[in-house]
Amino acid sequence: MRCLITGGAGFIGSHLAEELLRAGHAVTVVDDLSTGSLENIEPLRSEVRFRCVIDTVLNRHLMAELVNWADVVFHLAAVVGVRLVVEDPARAIETNVRTLEIVLELAAPKRKKVIFTSTSEVYGKTSRVPFREDDDLVLGAPWRSRWGYACSKALGEFLALAYWREYGVPVVIARLFNTVGPRQTDRYGMVIPTFVRQALRGEPITVYGDGQQTRSFCWVGDTVRALMALAEHPGAVGQIFNVGSDEEVRIADVAYQVKALSGSASPIVFIPYDRAYGDGFEDMRRRVPDLTKIRTLIGYRPTTRLEEILWRVLLHHRRFEVDRSLAL
Ligand code: UDP
């Protein structure tokens, strides 16, 4: 297959590019490097089946060429991280909606397959755990800017499904739950790289709120494998799938685990949400996917438990910290 990955120099996109190449496909990555980095794709640049275009998905003329070349488009380009979304909600909403619109419009004439990466954020504050794909979405009030991101991704889902129903564009929607692994930066506030960096530098490990909120962390290799299998399975078209791990963990326990595994002397401190994200921030208490649908279709099961994920991320960051201290 000829695969186009928007946001392909990002954390998940670069892992996807690597796996697609390994499986024998040709890969073109388009990325504006707003949150992605050339470093992520550096090892791929010598591959003959790999091409990287540094530009924005909003460049319609360029995208027309790239979508025309591709058999399948993995649309990963989006604003990432709760911190960026809260600090610059206008850009988050506009980027997410406009880029998908462009991809779908360009995919429509030749009915190119589009894999749209949505998010577990769309479930919002629902207390019905685990989350199933046909559940109602329970979002907060619009003045709480966090929900704009969920809303923009939910709108994307509606739009993608509309293109499937009205124009026959084969779309697949993957709702990604918290994905973790090497190359995920702590720059945008994601919890595991943040805790790991804090632990390795001996800085306080910052747990927001009471730390009793839960998440289910998924190994990036599992996420990528699921995206590839969904792209290849004809039965996935026109459907929404949870992609993640169902090992639920409290954020405070993640902090204790990171501290123990790293042997760090960092104190664990609890910081009120308002201080972390500004006034009126709202978090979700629990987030766990029901994986029945994706397991039934493609036999997907998460392979890596949280402790192993933390080990691998610690190892990755340790190498990075050593390079950093050598450079200083
Ligand atoms: N979090 C935390 N300390 C941090 C960063 C995040 O306690 O330094 C919490 C955050 O409030 C949330 C969870 O960890 O409850 C996951 O946050 P992240 O931003 O990684 O992803 P989210 O699931 O919120 O999109």
Side-chain angles (χ1 to χ4, degrees):
M1 288 192 303
R2 284 183 297 208
C3 307
L4 173 64
I5 310 177
T6 71
F11 157 54
I12 301 176
S14 62
H15 284 279
L16 178 62
E18 206 172 305
E19 279 312 308
L20 286 167
L21 287 168
R22 195 169 292 155
H25 303 296
V27 174
T28 295
V29 152
V30 57
D31 200 301
D32 65 1
L33 302 183
S34 52
T35 50
S37 83
L38 285 179
E39 217 183 334
N40 287 343
I41 48 168
E42 193 51 48
L44 309 179
R45 297 184 91 176
S46 55
E47 297 266 354
V48 283
R49 283 176 284 108
F50 180 75
R51 179 169 52 144
C52 172
V53 181
I54 305 304
D55 208 325
T56 165
V57 178
L58 300 173
N59 180 345
R60 208 191 165 81
H61 184 70
L62 165 77
M63 285 301 291
E65 254 176 61
L66 298 181
V67 173
N68 193 41
W69 167 85
D71 300 311
V72 52
V73 183
F74 292 88
H75 181 52
L76 274 64
V79 170
V80 291
V82 177
R83 187 163 299 289
L84 275 187
V85 169
V86 169
E87 282 169 6
D88 197 351
R91 187 164 76 91
I93 296 167
E94 283 171 2
T95 305
N96 291 354
V97 174
R98 281 194 194 148
T99 55
L100 178 66
E101 233 172 24
I102 289 174
V103 166
L104 289 171
E105 275 174 22
L106 295 172
K110 293 191 183 160
R111 299 194 176 144
K112 300 292 177 86
K113 192 175 256 193
V114 177
I115 315 302
F116 170 49
T117 50
S118 183
T119 168
S120 54
E121 279 267 327
V122 298
Y123 289 105
K125 309 188 275 183
T126 179
S127 52
R128 194 183 171 288
V129 180
F131 302 164
R132 285 169 45 112
E133 290 85 347
D134 51 4
D135 284 345
D136 288 340
L137 310 183
V138 186
L139 303 184
W143 68 270
R144 297 181 194 271
S145 47
R146 166 185 201 140
W147 301 113
Y149 176 75
C151 217
S152 70
K153 286 287 192 173
L155 180 62
E157 294 189 8
F158 280 111
L159 192 65
L161 292 176
Y163 266 74
W164 161 237
R165 290 190 191 121
E166 284 185 43
Y167 310 126
V169 178
V171 301
V172 181
I173 296 166
R175 286 183 180 160
L176 305 189
F177 284 65
N178 299 62
T179 307
V180 197
R183 298 186 206 137
Q184 184 178 36
T185 164
D186 62 343
R187 230 173 292 142
Y188 311 109
M190 275 82 158
V191 68
I192 288 187
T194 302
F195 284 180
V196 165
R197 189 221 344 119
Q198 291 167 335
L200 291 180
R201 294 189 184 172
E203 296 165 359
I205 298 177
T206 52
V207 175
Y208 298 160
D210 62 4
Q212 298 303 300
Q213 71 273 31
T214 72
R215 294 293 186 272
S216 320
F217 295 96
C218 184
W219 174 243
V220 64
D222 289 338
T223 305
V224 159
R225 197 168 44 84
L227 291 176
M228 288 169 63
L230 289 174
E232 286 182 18
H233 200 299
V237 169
Q239 303 279 332
I240 299 176
F241 296 89
N242 289 336
V243 175
S245 155
D246 47 10
E247 183 189 353
E248 186 180 15
V249 59
R250 288 188 192 88
I251 295 301
D253 292 336
V254 177
Y256 294 123
Q257 248 182 300
V258 168
K259 182 175 156 91
L261 291 176
S262 60
S264 169
S266 289
I268 293 174
V269 297
F270 290 80
I271 296 179
Y273 283 119
D274 286 2
R275 246 177 62 211
Y277 295 114
D279 266 354
F281 182 80
E282 206 166 37
D283 201 4
M284 52 276 292
R285 288 305 275 176
R286 294 182 68 188
R287 183 188 279 169
V288 194
D290 184 319
L291 298 173
T292 310
K293 188 170 175 185
I294 189 166
R295 187 165 48 236
T296 307
L297 188 77
I298 61 166
Y300 170 87
R301 273 174 214 282
T303 60
T304 313
R305 293 190 54 82
L306 181 63
E307 185 174 337
E308 177 63 26
I309 295 177
L310 293 178
W311 271 120
R312 293 182 193 177
V313 174
L314 265 166
L315 208 69
H316 174 77
H317 279 252
R318 261 205 185 112
R319 269 191 227 125
F320 180 80
E321 290 293 320
V322 170
D323 291 349
R324 179 176 158 270
S325 61
L326 289 176
L328 288 176

